[in-house]
Amino acid sequence: MNAEGRRFDLVVFGATGFTGQYTVDEVSRVAEEERLSWAVAGRSMEKLQKVLSEASERTGKTLEEIPVIIADVSSPQSLAEMAKQTKVVLNCVGPYRFYGEPVVQACIENGTHHLDISGEPQFLEKMQLLYNKKAAENNVFVIGSVGFDSIPAEIGLEYTRQQFKEGELSNVESFIETKVGPEGAVINTGTFESAVYGVAYRNELGSLRKALYPDPMPKLDYRLPKRSFLFFNDDLKKWCLPFLGSDKSVVYRTIRDGLNSQRLKKPIEFIPYTCCSSLFSAMGIILFGLVFFFLSSFSWGRSFLLKYPHIVSLGFFKKGGPTRKQIESTSFSMTFVGYGYTEDVTDRTGQKPNKTIVTKLMGPEPGYVTTPICMVQSAVTLLKESSNMFHKGGVLTPGAAFSGTNLMERLQKHNITLMTISPDNSQDKKAD
């Protein structure tokens, strides 16, 4: 990729969207730290100028003179003109299944890196299948899931692997906990819409994965015993359910990449869970999930879900998203329990792990604070450390793309905390 002489380091595409507005706030802070040039892009000059004006009030920075680019996913020429002006596009326009591919195409064709915050496995894996070769040939990085989906999972797993030190990590369970303030938590309906279509077209994944990965993943030496769908974690004192986000699929793509490039000797089992505040809450989530799954399977059901998300979710999803107070009072943590072996042995089929380590990643509100932090620090890493990256281009996961970089350290300087917990959970040691 030859991006010398380009006008901007970063362009936030979809800056008027709910997440896009918070990304603008974060870019304005980091651009000053890193001396980066940037612009915002979208369909409406008036709305983009309003976003900059409101971001100025929130951040205390003068942003009204930040350049504005008019670009629309329905206009390939406008996307190309946007891509030609910048080194990296931060794509905040979803659902990506409908609006993502034209932006990816424009970036690859014009030698521009593309980052998105998609949690949609169908989109992510389709882009890898269709465009990985061309992106690699053009030395362009197309990196998906650089928000809460799935940077914390990728970074947490890598940190756990590093802390394992002697021996070899073989299995990891992660447990997501969200803490909310007295006003509760709300998620914008854009996330809800992506989930509706993800469930509706879930059968696409089978054929996609067969084409993307014709060879099966190497067998694990040992699989963790299967847990009940709903179970109580004695260490965390929480009821837990399987986490149905994109973390698992993204992490396994990273593991495949590590095996293919010989940076990993053996596969690692990764099983993510979400923690519930009570048994009643867990049962409510299960009931909502069953209704959501059923309705998403039919066109009339999808229409109902998309028209009345606040009713179906009892107010958890609503247009306009959370208030600033709700965002400020929300945080999350991910606990990683890693299992493995004290010695690196070639063949240990069926042998139970004899070593355990527990680590923890913590951050502010996931969707609109942690996501922009992760996305912007991914962009900075790409701009500043491309020479340290193992790959020189391609459609990649964050874990595959940022291997060998200081992304973990950059995140720790921007409100993401990593720590190692002793095996008996009695002592915390903050990461350096």
Side-chain angles (χ1 to χ4, degrees), residues 24-25 27-29 31-32 38 49 51-67:
V24 168
D25 290 359
V27 169
S28 71
R29 289 186 283 264
E32 193 172 275
W38 63 287
Q49 289 174 333
V51 163
L52 291 172
S53 177
E54 291 174 348
S56 295
E57 293 177 12
R58 290 192 296 266
T59 63
K61 301 181 184 301
T62 304
L63 304 177
E64 285 85 352
E65 299 303 316
I66 293 295

Side-chain angles (χ1 to χ4, degrees), residues 131-365:
Y131 298 107
N132 180 58
K133 183 179 179 182
K134 183 67 173 176
E137 288 173 353
N138 288 4
N139 296 322
V140 168
F141 284 97
V142 176
I143 310 172
S145 300
V146 296
F148 180 70
D149 295 317
S150 294
I151 289 280
E154 294 266 66
I155 292 295
L157 179 65
E158 177 59 21
Y159 176 77
T160 303
R161 192 174 74 87
Q162 291 178 8
Q163 298 305 304
F164 213 75
K165 297 177 181 176
E166 296 84 9
E168 191 169 17
L169 182 70
S170 60
N171 314 78
V172 177
E173 294 178 301
S174 71
F175 298 87
I176 300 174
E177 296 182 67
T178 304
K179 295 181 180 178
V180 301
E183 296 189 15
V186 169
I187 299 178
N188 189 48
T189 51
T191 302
F192 185 83
E193 186 177 350
S194 296
V196 168
Y197 288 110
V199 172
Y201 298 101
R202 60 192 178 278
N203 293 333
E204 294 176 349
L205 277 172
S207 57
L208 261 176
R209 286 172 177 167
K210 283 181 182 178
L212 189 58
Y213 299 116
D215 298 320
M217 179 90 81
K219 287 186 177 180
L220 295 161
D221 286 336
Y222 177 81
R223 284 189 178 275
L224 294 174
K226 192 172 183 179
R227 295 183 181 270
S228 301
F229 187 81
L230 172 63
F231 64 94
F232 187 76
N233 185 301
D234 291 321
D235 294 322
L236 298 175
K237 307 300 181 189
K238 297 285 185 180
W239 288 94
C240 302
L241 293 164
F243 179 64
L244 302 180
S246 62
D247 285 357
K248 189 172 184 178
S249 63
V250 171
V251 166
Y252 275 128
R253 287 169 58 213
T254 296
I255 290 169
R256 277 185 176 273
D257 182 83
L259 292 168
N260 291 339
S261 62
Q262 299 185 332
R263 286 174 293 130
L264 274 181
K265 295 179 182 178
K266 294 187 176 185
I268 298 171
E269 182 180 31
F270 177 69
I271 311 174
Y273 298 100
T274 185
C275 298
C276 306
S277 57
S278 66
L279 178 58
F280 179 78
S281 172
M283 296 305 293
I285 291 171
I286 292 172
L287 179 60
F288 169 74
L290 291 172
V291 172
F292 182 86
F293 190 95
F294 175 77
L295 291 176
S296 295
S297 301
F298 303 95
S299 59
W300 61 266
R302 292 192 291 274
S303 297
F304 180 80
L305 287 171
L306 296 172
K307 190 173 183 179
Y308 303 109
H310 58 295
I311 294 175
V312 178
S313 66
L314 299 179
F316 187 64
F317 291 95
K318 71 174 187 179
K319 290 180 180 178
T323 64
R324 187 155 289 274
K325 251 186 183 179
Q326 287 174 318
I327 289 174
E328 290 172 352
S329 62
T330 301
S331 61
F332 82 96
S333 67
M334 290 182 73
T335 301
F336 296 83
V337 183
Y339 308 89
Y341 304 87
T342 53
E343 296 181 359
D344 186 353
V345 179
T346 303
D347 185 13
R348 49 171 182 257
T349 304
Q351 181 183 341
K352 289 185 177 181
N354 59 9
K355 181 178 179 179
T356 303
I357 189 170
V358 182
T359 65
K360 196 169 189 176
L361 181 150
M362 296 176 288
E365 192 279 335

